[in-house]
Amino acid sequence: MNLHEYQAKDILKGFGVPIPPGEVATTPEQAKALAEKYGTAVMVKAQVHAGGRGKAGGVKFCKTPADAFEKATAILGMQIKGLTVEKVLVTVAADIGSEAYVGIIVDRARKKPVFMVSAAGGIDIEQVAAETPEKIKYHPVDVRYGLQTYEAMQLGFFLYQDVKLARAAAKIMQQLYAAFMASGCSLAEINPLVVTPTGEVLAVDGKMVIDDNELDRKPAVAALRDESSEEPSEVDARNNNLTFIKLDGDVGCVVNGAGLAMATMDLVKYYGGEPANFLDIGGSSNPEKVVNALRIITADTNVKAILFNIFGGITRTDDVANGIVTATKANPLKVPLVIRLTGTNEEIAMKILTENGFSASSDMDEAVQKAVALAKGGK
Amino acid sequence: MNLHEYQAKDILKGFGVPIPPGEVATTPEQAKALAEKYGTAVMVKAQVHAGGRGKAGGVKFCKTPADAFEKATAILGMQIKGLTVEKVLVTVAADIGSEAYVGIIVDRARKKPVFMVSAAGGIDIEQVAAETPEKIKYHPVDVRYGLQTYEAMQLGFFLYQDVKLARAAAKIMQQLYAAFMASGCSLAEINPLVVTPTGEVLAVDGKMVIDDNELDRKPAVAALRDESSEEPSEVDARNNNLTFIKLDGDVGCVVNGAGLAMATMDLVKYYGGEPANFLDIGGSSNPEKVVNALRIITADTNVKAILFNIFGGITRTDDVANGIVTATKANPLKVPLVIRLTGTNEEIAMKILTENGFSASSDMDEAVQKAVALAKGGK
Amino acid sequence: MSVFINKDTKLVVQGITGRDGSFHTKQMMEYGTQVVAGVTPGKGGQTFESTVPIYNTVADAVSATGANTAVIYVPPPFAADAIMEAADSGVQLVVCITEGVPVLDMTKVYPFVKERGIRLIGPNCPGLISPGESKVGIIPGRICTPGPVGVVSRSGTLTYEIVYQLTRAGIGQTSCVGIGGDPINGTNFIDCLAAFEADPHTKAVAMMGEIGGTDEQEAADFVKHHMTKPVVGFIAGQTAPPGRRMGHAGAIISGSAGTAAEKIEAFEAAGMGVAKRPLDFVELIKARLK
Amino acid sequence: MSVFINKDTKLVVQGITGRDGSFHTKQMMEYGTQVVAGVTPGKGGQTFESTVPIYNTVADAVSATGANTAVIYVPPPFAADAIMEAADSGVQLVVCITEGVPVLDMTKVYPFVKERGIRLIGPNCPGLISPGESKVGIIPGRICTPGPVGVVSRSGTLTYEIVYQLTRAGIGQTSCVGIGGDPINGTNFIDCLAAFEADPHTKAVAMMGEIGGTDEQEAADFVKHHMTKPVVGFIAGQTAPPGRRMGHAGAIISGSAGTAAEKIEAFEAAGMGVAKRPLDFVELIKARLK
């Protein structure tokens, strides 16, 4: 789950990271009032889950409250990478002497959180990594011990020669690490970390991505989810414990397991079709999930055929069969349905389906080819 | 540093440990008022840094407020192992179904905090350890990971068969561990941990000993020190960064290093004398320490001779010499002084002493024999 | 005849009385796995299906029954603790089926398990099966048959799919190992490839990867330099749009190091067979067993 | 000729610009120790005494100078971090002089150091000296002289006392190691006894213990079963009242396992010589060197 800049900054502030004052506005009037309150130049920054806000014109410097009003008017309602800007962050504009990058990600290979720091901040760290990799220092953290002061100081000295700045940066890195761990992040970054002309070290932008698996035990973090900034069908799916990603094709797919779901999409394409979505009903199944999956898929008017591909392990195929029966009884389908189903409790499932007038195959290639053909209006 | 029961309980309560309500009283009137406020039977418990309070009559059950007044009158001012009771804890008397022991100490051999738990609580755990060692479970904690839930549950099941009680105890152990680590303890214990007839698990007594080395960085814990309950000369010494323990002999000893200080005491005894104290001026020395050491030792009227035994390493013997000169100029000594001094900056030290009319030896046995003789009025 | 588990595997089931745990324990018992104990705190002293003794802790279960392997079916918030409990109990192999374990929990669990020299498989995995000998986890037993192919996969159901197709084509398996799709797991492709290379009965290996991460590239490198046996690989997610997370934490293309194209290229560079779709495994493996 | 340090010891001093650090660095340099670097954050680029380069971090110091040993003179709140920094920098030996390190810090530092296979001596110790070769720490150099006796002690100044008396009696030392009196330290008696047993130049060992703990008893057991060389022991605190802490965290008699009488008994049972007072070492060692 992505957090907005203002949310990430609120968390970081709670861990002691120095951040310029700022508040959220949803109207130009509010933005103007905040600029007046701060009595200094401000930045007005679009709060959307998209990178490249600056390039898209979503981040503006405002000298006066009137200026803030004007810029907020322009930014609010703007579209950035398909997302509508509903909120702006109005924040005191910091004097910027230098810009550094500080980030933490969970690294698969090292099996640890890894710091990435670079004195070349303010821009895409991916670009720095690609063009001048020597400007990035990577530092894995052993979570059994946490980030020690000496490690933070090594990172601080990588950014700054001056010991005062290095110490300030080291402290911020320890605070960032604490926030990262406490919030259940998979990524947390400060970009840019700024040194002002007076020698203050400040976090001018902040980003956090939360591991979705943490949300159940971190209700305060979970409450930060902003559903207004996401695809409604994906929100609906998530709220029903389904993993759903909308795509542009016409073959609706309901699969259990991410690997098989991807392989199913691949096979749809292999046989000349286009998947309409990725949908994983997950491991432990219950009929309700199937009902919700069908509701979400059929809401997409592009869908011309629906393909179930279920290989029962922990998922019981009889649960899936029951779900199909229940869902189609309540809301009869308007598009053809192809069912492929095998594995745990397959016999029971087949019986349920047959008794309710459905046919099902146990062969994946056969089912996919059939669904692709049906979507094309064939058969 | 020892904490009083009420202080330890306050800390444990802060970590969530369930504890019967209680407050401190310094007068019988206050004790009575508290008993009235709780409206139930209470315990009145002497708050002194001494074990065996119960056997000494310092812990009493009081059915009524009048009873509490009477018992508090008896306990306040009472002497327990040489310490005067200045405070009592008035606490709601818990119904006691069973009593267990839960403690954590830092174990030298395992180099870890170690839990000791026993269903045989309420009495001295040393007695249980000596007589029925199989009734104690020891569990070292790897501080890199902390006390995991499964470990706490193993301990919980060692105490209680019932899963609800085991879970409650496990939670308390995790809270106790958190309090232990956060407060910088060398020992923390709950004895007894009580199960009430209604199935509540409660900490009815609590004890904490803080590692003195933690106090500088834990001001809130350091502030709990109750100097009124300690030997004044030892308080004075500690406040001047000296380690001092008053003994019954007549040879005052000023030594640098605990090992050498003990060996000096041993040697005093070897040559027929009795040391008046243990006094370690520590490693990094400054003349001020010597001044304070002499002040504290000479306040003891038993002292008949003073022996300095300084072997300079990190301690500079010139600092010690300067201290002796300064202190004796300000307050001329009334008892003879024997100085043994060698090691770092010995030449400078000897020069300082000679110039100021002191003689000094570099031989320990010689100096100790001389001091013993002087204390006996010889030479 | 197999890797990691065999006829001598003595299993303790953590979460044996839960919905999934009880269902799959029955399946494992039916398959012939020696299920010697179950664990559910508070149910110590009871029995499961009138035969399997239940204990309050894994330590109790292991000391009473000599279990050497643990399988975990507990909800995600308790999974990390369950893995550590198992790793501390004396078993040598821990298989964690639970899906949804927070990745930061695994940053702590991983060194804990490694320090004890224990093998962890999973989390978020279907477990493993050595056909005809033992099954630990949730892989449906009837889709497998004994034979010469080692199977290793990051995916659950995709594994079943491929094993099922192999079995239907008469190609049996020594062992099938689902290593799980989470960013941090206990056993990786290389661990399994090395085990299959060492197993005298394995003659060829089928390996199913996914987009995201670089495990498949490293595995390909291992195949190139350390394997004498033929390996056929597959990558799921060839058509996945970049930057979107496809269910598995694993199935996200981060940077440029995790696309299907790169992984397939690595397979080809290592001289591995490459299956374009699951069904292709049948012919590719068949050709390599000759 | 020595254990742990010798002519090839290349030392980095942490806290080189502090009061104690600068004083004792000069002493070590005068003694002939190769002090190759110092560390004080913020003073990187400067030099100490115009000759020793100062770095901001130990890692920088080690990579620039090839230091293989670190000695720590930083205040107690920073000592644990300094030990870990040194242990992570590539040096093989870390000597922590600092007194007053919280024991819970050491519960974390100890496994950190062990995992890296580094030897830590201390904290709260005087360091060590191999007379004529190298001195790391604060043991006064002029009280030592080369010779055949290994010295190991929990105490600081008591070590000096005994070494001084040996030297005055013409008995030299291979190495003198002060292991420190804290409850948790990096190197114990047994580590040192084993090193002296393995050192061909050491012909006898003098060992100074204290009341508290059971380290001396375990050391005696080691002497009995694994040492061919004679060992003479001493216990400080024979007259200490029970239950009182005598300065050192070590010097407290807890339970019944740490009295002087018990320790002396263990020495005797192990066939060790027992010194009743420091001076006794001279005759006891002399007799054993013949």
Side-chain angles (χ1 to χ4, degrees), chain C residues 99-133:
Chain C
E99 181 183 350
V101 181
V103 67
L104 290 180
D105 282 5
M106 289 307 299
T107 62
K108 179 168 139 178
V109 165
Y110 186 81
F112 187 95
V113 169
K114 283 286 150 182
E115 283 177 358
R116 285 160 179 76
I118 308 291
R119 174 164 305 285
L120 168 67
I121 296 179
N124 189 16
C125 81
L128 66 169
I129 186 168
S130 294
E133 297 197 52

Side-chain angles (χ1 to χ4, degrees), chain B residues 144 256 271 284 340 346, chain D residues 20 115 142 157 161 239 277:
Chain B
R144 298 173 305 164
N256 66 320
Y271 284 117
S284 287
R340 185 283 174 118
E346 177 177 336
Chain D
D20 292 335
E115 281 176 359
R142 61 172 192 86
T157 46
E161 188 65 53
T239 59
R277 51 178 181 155

Side-chain angles (χ1 to χ4, degrees), chain A residues 5-342:
Chain A
E5 175 191 2
Y6 77 91
Q7 295 170 324
K9 282 180 163 177
D10 277 351
I11 290 176
L12 292 174
K13 216 180 285 177
F15 282 85
V17 176
I19 287 170
E23 279 164 85
V24 163
T26 52
T27 64
E29 290 75 16
Q30 286 173 359
K32 187 180 168 212
L34 286 170
E36 275 163 357
K37 173 173 143 188
Y38 296 134
T40 177
V42 296
M43 302 298 293
V44 172
K45 307 174 83 175
Q47 300 296 290
V48 282
H49 294 315
R53 293 175 303 166
K55 283 175 202 154
V59 177
K60 294 287 182 193
F61 175 79
C62 312
K63 244 187 156 165
T64 64
D67 199 12
F69 182 90
E70 192 185 312
K71 301 281 168 54
T73 308
I75 295 171
L76 284 162
M78 166 188 269
Q79 294 275 321
I80 300 181
K81 296 192 179 163
L83 297 166
T84 307
V85 180
E86 315 239 355
K87 295 171 192 165
V88 291
L89 173 62
V90 181
T91 178
V92 169
D95 279 347
I96 292 178
S98 74
E99 295 185 314
Y101 172 91
V102 178
I104 317 177
I105 50 153
V106 177
D107 186 73
R108 300 171 68 100
R110 297 185 184 89
K111 302 182 194 289
K112 287 173 181 169
V114 174
F115 266 89
M116 294 184 296
V117 308
S118 175
I123 54 167
D124 271 4
I125 193 68
E126 286 84 359
Q127 196 184 324
V128 180
E131 292 167 14
T132 50
E134 72 283 0
K135 288 192 179 166
I136 302 181
K137 186 179 173 80
Y138 296 88
H139 182 82
V141 181
D142 188 334
V143 300
R144 298 173 305 163
Y145 296 98
L147 182 72
Q148 302 303 317
T149 303
Y150 79 90
E151 297 174 284
M153 282 297 285
Q154 287 172 351
L155 296 173
F157 276 121
F158 183 77
L159 294 182
Y160 308 117
Q161 289 263 306
D162 182 85
V163 67
K164 271 188 204 147
L165 298 180
R167 268 193 225 285
K171 200 169 165 192
I172 289 170
M173 288 191 231
Q174 289 188 305
Q175 292 160 337
L176 178 67
Y177 177 76
F180 177 92
M181 296 301 289
S183 309
C185 291
S186 49
L187 177 146
E189 65 181 28
I190 296 172
N191 186 23
L193 182 72
V194 153
V195 178
T196 67
T198 56
E200 267 186 297
V201 184
L202 291 175
V204 162
D205 199 350
K207 184 177 173 183
M208 282 186 167
V209 181
I210 309 296
D211 176 2
D212 289 348
N213 291 339
E214 295 273 1
L215 297 174
D216 278 349
R217 65 179 179 190
K218 296 203 163 35
V221 177
L224 298 176
R225 188 182 291 280
D226 179 7
E227 295 191 338
S228 72
S229 64
E230 297 175 85
E231 169 72 40
S233 60
E234 295 182 9
V235 173
D236 184 0
R238 190 183 50 241
N239 291 338
N240 289 292
N241 292 313
L242 302 169
T243 312
F244 173 79
I245 295 171
K246 198 178 160 347
L247 301 170
D248 298 328
D250 52 12
V251 180
C253 302
V254 182
V255 191
N256 66 321
L260 187 60
M262 286 190 290
T264 304
M265 286 160 57
D266 294 349
L267 205 61
V268 165
K269 202 132 184 175
Y270 181 90
Y271 285 118
E274 285 292 337
N277 63 277
F278 169 97
L279 194 157
D280 175 11
I281 60 168
S284 285
S285 63
N286 63 51
E288 193 64 21
K289 277 196 175 181
V290 177
V291 174
N292 288 313
L294 274 174
R295 176 171 51 71
I296 290 162
I297 287 189
T298 51
D300 178 356
T301 51
N302 288 337
V303 170
K304 298 282 180 288
I306 296 172
L307 167 67
F308 271 73
N309 186 13
I310 304 298
F311 208 121
I314 208 160
T315 304
R316 305 192 198 169
T317 57
D318 53 329
D319 283 344
V320 176
N322 278 323
I324 293 173
V325 171
T326 309
T328 50
K329 267 190 188 150
N331 295 294
L333 287 179
K334 295 185 184 99
V335 294
L337 176 65
V338 180
I339 303 170
R340 185 284 175 119
L341 179 153
T342 189

